Amino acid sequence: MSVTAASGFAAAGVVAGLKASGRRDLALVRNLGPLNAAAAVFTTNRCKANPVLWSQQVMQDGVVSAIVLNSGGANCYTGSQGFQVTHATAEAVATELGVSAGDVLVCSTGLIGEQLPLDKLVAGVTTAANALARDAGLGAAEAIMTTDTRAKEAQFRSPNGWTVGGMAKGAGMLAPGLATMLVVVTTDAVLTSGRLDAALRRATRVTFDRLDSDGCMSTNDTVALLASGASGVEPGDEEFALALTAVCRDLAEQLQADAEGASHDIAIEVVNAASEDDAVVVGRAVSRSNLFKAAIFGNDPNWGRVLAAVGTTDAEFDPYGIDVAINGVQVCTSGEPDQPRDLVDLTPRAVHVLIDLHAGDETATILTNDLTHDYVHENSAYAS
Amino acid sequence: MSVTAASGFAAAGVVAGLKASGRRDLALVRNLGPLNAAAAVFTTNRCKANPVLWSQQVMQDGVVSAIVLNSGGANCYTGSQGFQVTHATAEAVATELGVSAGDVLVCSTGLIGEQLPLDKLVAGVTTAANALARDAGLGAAEAIMTTDTRAKEAQFRSPNGWTVGGMAKGAGMLAPGLATMLVVVTTDAVLTSGRLDAALRRATRVTFDRLDSDGCMSTNDTVALLASGASGVEPGDEEFALALTAVCRDLAEQLQADAEGASHDIAIEVVNAASEDDAVVVGRAVSRSNLFKAAIFGNDPNWGRVLAAVGTTDAEFDPYGIDVAINGVQVCTSGEPDQPRDLVDLTPRAVHVLIDLHAGDETATILTNDLTHDYVHENSAYAS
């Protein structure tokens, strides 16, 4: 159910003919109300795709009636022609659904620098509008996949009568600056756009923002949160933020688990940092070390590569007072070898790297993946 | 001849038994004078190896009589025992050559977090001291190799009677913060340590500092410059800096050409930047995009990945006013597709990416490599 788990939403995933594979490539999600409040966060990449430029304008008033998403092309660096395609897509949705084009979010994903065929998009919108259904959440989640190998869905049902559900896509270019890839989360809770915005920023800061699969920030990242109010229940800020964060974390972990070519899911937990920012900076530096990531692929607990990455940061720590444990084995204490690295078992897919900075009491965990032959293969051959 | 191309220097490269392969693994370079002036730059990684901590002390007075270098172990994160090994190695050199241990630089390269065997090092120093010769520059260059596939040497002979020569090693962890890997440059020009230092910083800033093969900064990077004064000629600052820069650039390009697993040598030239710093930041961002690097491996001129990386920087530019050319084909003008990407030929090893920011008149070129299966293989299997 995912994006249609909450009441007040219908979705569709159809074949518009944008993907050479002939698979579903256009998704539509409609908010049936009674509310149409929304919040969204976008990539912080300065090179933003046309749908991001459009959707930022749509979000000005916090009102969203529908969101249309396509795979098969990012519509980024396609100039004014590309912006016209985005605008015309929103207009097509508006016409089909009888809403304002200014209340239609647009998201695109795929290759940068190629024009999308407007005729196929418009025809696809008509097909999707006619296919809108309460049980079509999975089809919509499938329609936004690119190199993803499986659809990503998550939901949370509150005992108080409201629900949060969502879908996501993302496989490469997976290092969000604010949001990651395309994510749509819906709820039937009664909330204003201002409260949705606060909850969404709180949730993405500790979920999608801490996923750094390959260090490459997309031009199209969008996370949209739509509220229908159909449950008639108004949750408290705290309970809603916790539910939303749980759904976002679930989706972020699904993105990590399906990252292009990865054979390990690595959690880099930095503890006893002087600040949360320091913990994030240190974790991110390790997550971006190709040497560390290649070592994990080779099941090599090369903790020297962890510390070499930590040492490039300006976080507060004594370079010779750091401890490192990998999958529960303390391989380095105060910057000196401790337990033999042979004791570390890296055969499971899940890897836990614990870095103790001994500089305070803040913590953060960055999620990343290893650097594999399959990653190189997919990203040297991928052009669709 | 390389490190012994300049008069007043002798060198040796011997087998100390540190490498499992049984190859040469200890190099010694002696300055025979009459001068013993020197300058050096070291890694800016805060996690510095023991030989770097030692050598920074040695450089305080700008006097260096000899430099000893070993492969087979980085002596980094080995604690006080590791520092004692570095100190004892310098003492052994001092005893053999009749110089002060405080005038002996020590460099190490190899795996982090393993102790070096002091007995083998001391015996190797004795062997090397007895083998010192004017024609042993190549043997010394071979002794500092790790995953390098060939020795790196360069020289410049001034028509005015003085010479600059050098050797280098470096294959992985190749993204210097100030200097890269192990480099020893010698000259017989008559220069003070202060003038050597100024020339060295000027040369490394535009050569080793602009090499970013894999984004990973080493804990052991050292570039040392020794002057014997044996030519009796005192060059001007400008002519010496130009000669030194030429030798450093030659060595940096050799490091790039032999980078682990690389199949392309990529020059990212950023032009019309508002400042030189902006040009460097933009070039470095592109050089660290795994997606861009994997595309080049696949001979795919994916310029969208170039702009997606540019967009993550805070350099001054209009995101929609950037031009990109790859190997002479203008694939993007003002952020829109220009020439078809099929026209780009990426089969040669050399790749030139030209990024025009249209924001000023400063320029910089960053040298990098592609991301290949061989890079992943070498760095998932490498533990020697």
Side-chain angles (χ1 to χ4, degrees):
Chain A
M1 294 289 281
S2 69
V3 80
T4 49
S7 51
F9 290 93
V14 302
V15 177
L18 307 170
K19 278 181 180 165
S21 66
R23 298 196 177 179
R24 295 179 205 258
D25 47 18
L26 190 138
L28 183 63
V29 179
R30 180 175 190 176
N31 185 344
L32 299 163
L35 293 183
N36 53 7
V41 288
F42 301 97
T43 183
T44 55
N45 198 311
R46 291 168 62 196
C47 298
K48 297 185 203 312
N50 282 307
V52 171
L53 297 176
W54 168 266
S55 295
Q56 285 182 320
Q57 294 302 313
V58 169
M59 285 312 304
Q60 298 272 325
D61 64 359
V63 174
V64 172
S65 300
I67 177 166
V68 58
L69 314 92
N70 75 273
S71 50
N75 198 357
C76 181
Y77 280 111
T78 44
S80 56
Q81 184 186 337
F83 191 83
Q84 290 301 323
V85 168
T86 291
H87 185 182
T89 305
E91 291 284 359
V93 172
T95 301
E96 289 291 343
L97 303 185
V99 301
S100 162
D103 296 337
V104 178
L105 291 177
V106 182
C107 299
S108 299
T109 180
L111 190 64
I112 295 170
E114 302 280 344
Q115 296 291 350
L116 284 171
L118 179 58
D119 54 340
K120 291 184 178 177
L121 275 168
V122 170
V125 165
T126 300
T127 307
N130 291 327
L132 281 170
R134 288 277 307 141
D135 61 359
L138 179 59
E142 288 173 353
I144 58 175
M145 290 165 61
T146 52
T147 55
D148 307 68
T149 66
R150 46 189 179 271
K152 285 120 185 143
E153 303 180 298
Q155 61 183 59
F156 175 93
R157 293 194 185 276
S158 165
N160 298 324
W162 50 271
T163 295
V164 178
M167 66 178 184
K169 69 80 51 183
M173 217 174 256
L174 203 48
L178 176 61
T180 182
M181 307 295 93
L182 305 186
V183 181
V184 180
V185 180
T186 56
T187 181
D188 49 17
V190 177
L191 289 162
T192 63
S193 62
R195 290 179 64 199
L196 291 171
D197 186 72
L200 184 60
R201 289 178 194 282
R202 176 172 164 181
T204 56
R205 193 180 72 83
V206 295
T207 55
F208 298 115
D209 270 359
R210 299 205 178 157
L211 173 64
D212 195 329
S213 174
D214 64 359
C216 297
M217 189 198 297
S218 163
T219 51
N220 290 53
D221 293 343
T222 301
V223 181
L225 169 63
L226 314 184
S228 69
S231 70
V233 182
E234 184 176 343
D237 282 335
E238 186 70 15
E239 66 173 323
F240 182 72
L242 291 176
L244 181 62
T245 300
V247 168
C248 288
R249 178 168 292 122
D250 188 337
L251 291 171
E253 288 175 355
Q254 289 183 55
L255 292 171
Q256 178 192 28
D258 195 27
E260 279 175 347
S263 69
H264 287 90
D265 298 333
I266 309 169
I268 302 167
E269 182 179 2
V270 181
V271 300
N272 295 322
S275 68
E276 191 178 350
D277 282 352
D278 270 12
V280 169
V281 162
V282 166
R284 203 175 287 280
V286 176
S287 79
R288 293 189 174 181
S289 166
N290 280 351
L291 292 176
F292 161 72
K293 290 153 77 90
I296 296 299
F297 167 59
N299 293 343
D300 171 17
N302 195 320
W303 58 268
R305 293 178 180 176
V306 173
L307 289 179
V310 173
T312 64
T313 71
D314 58 2
E316 193 177 320
F317 59 78
D318 169 5
Y320 306 101
I322 303 173
D323 304 339
V324 179
I326 302 180
N327 279 2
V329 179
Q330 181 100 0
V331 284
C332 170
T333 301
S334 296
E336 299 194 34
D338 190 338
Q339 296 300 302
R341 56 183 85 203
D342 299 348
L343 297 181
V344 180
D345 179 10
L346 284 171
T347 52
R349 184 173 172 101
V351 176
H352 179 232
V353 179
L354 182 68
I355 301 167
D356 190 334
L357 297 180
H358 293 293
D361 55 10
E362 297 295 328
T363 183
T365 299
I366 299 291
L367 305 178
T368 190
N369 296 99
D370 52 351
L371 178 59
T372 70
H373 289 299
D374 286 349
Y375 178 89
V376 174
H377 174 73
E378 285 198 43
N379 286 299
S380 54
Y382 172 63
S384 62
Chain B
M1 294 289 280
S2 70
V3 81
T4 49
S7 52
F9 291 93
V14 302
V15 177
L18 308 170
K19 278 180 180 165
S21 66
R23 299 197 176 178
R24 295 180 206 258
D25 50 17
L26 190 137
L28 184 62
V29 179
R30 181 175 189 176
N31 184 346
L32 300 163
L35 293 181
N36 54 6
V41 288
F42 300 97
T43 182
T44 54
N45 198 311
R46 290 168 62 195
C47 298
K48 297 185 203 312
N50 283 306
V52 170
L53 297 175
W54 168 266
S55 295
Q56 285 181 319
Q57 293 302 313
V58 170
M59 285 312 304
Q60 298 272 324
D61 64 359
V63 173
V64 172
S65 299
I67 177 166
V68 58
L69 313 93
N70 74 273
S71 51
N75 198 357
C76 181
Y77 279 111
T78 45
S80 56
Q81 182 186 339
F83 191 82
Q84 290 301 324
V85 167
T86 292
H87 184 182
T89 306
E91 291 285 359
V93 171
T95 301
E96 289 291 342
L97 303 185
V99 300
S100 163
D103 296 338
V104 177
L105 291 177
V106 182
C107 298
S108 301
T109 179
L111 190 64
I112 294 171
E114 301 280 343
Q115 296 291 350
L116 285 170
L118 180 59
D119 54 341
K120 291 184 178 177
L121 275 168
V122 170
V125 165
T126 300
T127 307
N130 291 326
L132 281 171
R134 289 276 307 139
D135 61 358
L138 179 58
E142 288 172 354
I144 59 175
M145 291 165 60
T146 53
T147 54
D148 306 69
T149 66
R150 47 189 179 271
K152 284 119 184 144
E153 304 180 297
Q155 61 184 59
F156 175 92
R157 293 194 185 278
S158 166
N160 298 325
W162 51 271
T163 295
V164 177
M167 66 178 185
K169 71 80 50 183
M173 219 175 254
L174 203 49
L178 176 61
T180 182
M181 306 297 95
L182 305 185
V183 181
V184 179
V185 180
T186 56
T187 182
D188 48 17
V190 177
L191 289 163
T192 63
S193 62
R195 290 179 62 198
L196 291 171
D197 186 73
L200 184 60
R201 287 176 195 283
R202 176 171 164 181
T204 56
R205 193 179 73 83
V206 295
T207 55
F208 298 114
D209 269 358
R210 298 204 178 157
L211 174 64
D212 195 329
S213 174
D214 64 359
C216 296
M217 189 197 298
S218 163
T219 51
N220 290 53
D221 294 341
T222 300
V223 181
L225 170 63
L226 314 182
S228 70
S231 71
V233 181
E234 186 176 343
D237 282 335
E238 187 69 16
E239 65 174 324
F240 182 73
L242 291 177
L244 180 63
T245 300
V247 167
C248 287
R249 179 168 291 122
D250 189 337
L251 290 171
E253 289 175 354
Q254 289 184 55
L255 292 171
Q256 180 192 27
D258 195 27
E260 279 174 349
S263 69
H264 287 89
D265 299 332
I266 309 169
I268 301 167
E269 182 180 2
V270 181
V271 299
N272 295 321
S275 68
E276 190 178 351
D277 282 351
D278 270 11
V280 169
V281 163
V282 166
R284 203 176 287 280
V286 177
S287 79
R288 293 188 175 182
S289 165
N290 280 351
L291 291 177
F292 162 72
K293 291 153 75 90
I296 297 298
F297 167 60
N299 293 343
D300 171 16
N302 194 320
W303 58 267
R305 294 179 179 175
V306 172
L307 289 179
V310 172
T312 64
T313 72
D314 58 2
E316 193 177 320
F317 59 80
D318 169 4
Y320 307 100
I322 302 174
D323 304 339
V324 178
I326 302 179
N327 279 3
V329 179
Q330 181 98 4
V331 284
C332 171
T333 301
S334 296
E336 298 193 34
D338 190 337
Q339 296 300 302
R341 57 183 85 204
D342 299 349
L343 296 180
V344 180
D345 180 11
L346 285 171
T347 51
R349 184 172 173 102
V351 175
H352 179 231
V353 178
L354 182 69
I355 302 167
D356 190 335
L357 297 180
H358 293 291
D361 56 10
E362 297 295 328
T363 183
T365 299
I366 298 291
L367 305 179
T368 189
N369 296 99
D370 52 351
L371 178 60
T372 69
H373 289 300
D374 287 349
Y375 178 89
V376 174
H377 175 73
E378 285 198 41
N379 286 299
S380 53
Y382 171 64
S384 60

